[in-house]
Amino acid sequence: MDIVLSHTDHYILDDLYPTWWLKDDPVRQFVSLMLIVNIGGLFIYLIPTTLSYHLIFDHRLMDHPHFLPNQVRLEIVYALKSIPQMALPTCVMFLLEVRGYSNLYDNVHQTQLGWIGVLGSVVTFILFTDMCIYWIHRLLHHKIVYKHIHKAHHLWKIPTPFASHAFHPVDGFLQSCPYHIYPFLFPLHKFTYLILFVFVNIWTVSVHDGDFRVPGPLKPIVNGSAHHTDHHLFYNYNYGQFFTLWDRIGGSFRSPSAWTGQGPMNTVMNLKDIGVKNGLSSREKSQ
């Protein structure tokens, strides 16, 4: 995050702050990070979700009986209220990174493995965070915790992309913690970290986008929108973030209902068929 902070200081903030407020002052850094994370968070949320909603999300799902009145608006409002609150603890983690307490590094050649190390860190980052988020997510479903923190996210039984960040702030931060913890435990290239941070936000949108397709060979492996929609519907299944591995290990894997002809879209289509039949029946009686 110090890459973003440095560029923001150079092009914008240096002209706004008083000259006596030094760049390396931790208070100034925290204030700057709060501005970056709040404004950047809105872009990272609104741009992918809006594109996904208009280009990918199947709007027929809005006819599902579990789809709430004005749900899209409710999801957006909830997310916009939560993002500034999630930004507070997030910026604490970013400040620690900026202050040099993490294992983030600038130059690929600072490590013996070079680009192989960078590519390897991408793999281990995904695997590490997938494991951690599974257990954090499962903990959030514990009866003592669920009703206070995670229940809000399950208001959206048939989620749209806008539900991706519509969390209770504590919930959202806890599930993002593995992304912040990783660079404190393992070496990670700074620019790669930024790319991964954007990627995980887009992935979070994608598992709420209502597109239940997964390429055939990846079906047993990837945790996609079909899996996550079933999680919203049935609660105690498919806690995973990227893969199905930990759900299989933890006994919480459920094959997506959308792949067995019993998914939410099937419900919508069946209700429409019933409505058509009832309409025909009513017309026949009137004749």
Side-chain angles (χ1 to χ4, degrees), residues 99-119:
R99 303 293 295 178
Y101 293 102
S102 72
N103 292 305
L104 292 166
Y105 60 91
D106 293 285
N107 196 309
V108 173
H109 302 294
Q110 283 180 251
T111 65
Q112 291 181 339
L113 295 176
W115 283 107
I116 294 174
V118 172
L119 295 174

Side-chain angles (χ1 to χ4, degrees), residues 44-236:
I44 289 176
Y45 170 62
L46 290 173
I47 293 174
T49 52
T50 302
L51 290 173
S52 179
Y53 178 74
H54 288 290
L55 301 177
I56 299 173
F57 179 70
D58 193 329
H59 289 230
R60 292 176 297 173
L61 288 168
M62 298 169 76
D63 293 327
H64 194 282
H66 286 318
F67 198 88
L68 302 176
N70 300 314
Q71 181 176 311
V72 172
R73 179 180 178 276
L74 293 171
E75 289 171 342
I76 295 171
V77 169
Y78 201 104
L80 293 181
K81 287 180 179 178
S82 294
I83 287 171
Q85 297 174 71
M86 288 188 280
L88 279 167
T90 298
C91 286
V92 172
M93 301 300 291
F94 282 151
L95 182 64
L96 292 173
E97 294 167 11
V98 168
R99 303 293 295 178
Y101 293 102
S102 72
N103 292 305
L104 292 166
Y105 60 91
D106 293 285
N107 196 309
V108 173
H109 302 294
Q110 283 180 251
T111 65
Q112 291 181 339
L113 295 176
W115 283 107
I116 294 174
V118 172
L119 295 174
S121 67
V122 171
V123 174
T124 55
F125 178 90
I126 297 297
L127 293 174
F128 174 82
T129 56
D130 186 57
M131 175 189 69
C132 293
I133 291 171
Y134 173 82
W135 290 109
I136 291 169
H137 194 176
R138 192 155 185 174
L139 173 64
L140 288 166
H141 275 259
H142 191 281
K143 60 183 179 181
I144 296 175
V145 180
Y146 177 79
K147 64 181 179 180
H148 300 294
I149 297 177
H150 193 56
K151 185 178 181 179
H153 189 60
H154 278 271
L155 289 172
W156 338 111
K157 288 185 171 62
I158 305 295
T160 77
F162 294 110
S164 59
H165 292 62
F167 289 102
H168 185 287
V170 174
D171 184 356
F173 176 69
L174 285 176
Q175 293 202 58
S176 73
C177 271
Y179 305 132
H180 300 292
I181 292 171
Y182 181 93
F184 287 93
L185 299 177
F186 309 103
L188 184 60
H189 183 240
K190 288 181 180 179
F191 192 71
T192 303
Y193 183 43
L194 289 177
I195 294 172
L196 286 168
F197 193 77
V198 173
F199 164 74
V200 297
N201 276 277
I202 293 173
W203 184 271
T204 302
V205 174
S206 77
V207 296
H208 295 86
D209 67 11
D211 185 346
F212 303 141
R213 297 171 297 174
V214 173
L218 297 179
K219 279 188 174 182
I221 302 169
V222 172
N223 180 77
S225 181
H227 300 79
H228 195 69
T229 298
D230 272 9
H231 173 74
H232 276 256
L233 285 167
F234 305 116
Y235 300 98
N236 296 321

Side-chain angles (χ1 to χ4, degrees), residues 272-287:
K272 286 189 175 180
D273 288 342
I274 292 169
V276 170
K277 289 176 183 177
N278 288 341
L280 288 172
S281 226
S282 298
R283 282 198 292 273
E284 286 171 0
K285 286 179 183 178
S286 65
Q287 291 172 355

